Amino acid sequence: MKYRVTLIEHADGVSVSCPALRGCHSQGRTREEALVNIQDAIREWLAAEAEESKRFKVSEAEVAV
């Protein structure tokens, strides 16, 4: 599966997040390291989500504001 990620370069390196997976973030000293690290973070996020869905009833709803 492919996911889009957002990279932010700054003085300390590169921060990276996956907007499709709420709260899935990582970082690295270089762009390449950040991309490898976000792959690990995505795998871990998906595994945690799968485990959580076994333990809790998770649903979504839409509201108008």
Side-chain angles (χ1 to χ4, degrees):
M1 185 122 201
K2 292 184 179 183
Y3 291 92
R4 284 199 173 276
V5 297
T6 303
L7 297 112
I8 301 172
E9 297 184 37
H10 46 79
D12 295 325
V14 181
S15 297
V16 59
S17 62
C18 182
L21 306 177
R22 195 176 5 218
C24 186
H25 310 283
S26 194
Q27 60 188 11
R29 285 172 283 176
T30 64
R31 180 183 174 92
E32 293 75 20
E33 182 178 334
L35 290 171
V36 168
N37 291 344
I38 195 66
Q39 288 175 313
D40 291 338
I42 289 170
R43 285 186 199 99
E44 291 175 19
W45 193 99
L46 293 171
E49 185 74 10
E51 183 61 33
E52 189 174 285
S53 69
K54 292 177 190 174
R55 297 176 40 213
F56 303 104
K57 181 181 178 189
V58 179
S59 62
E60 291 187 15
E62 186 174 295
V63 297
V65 178

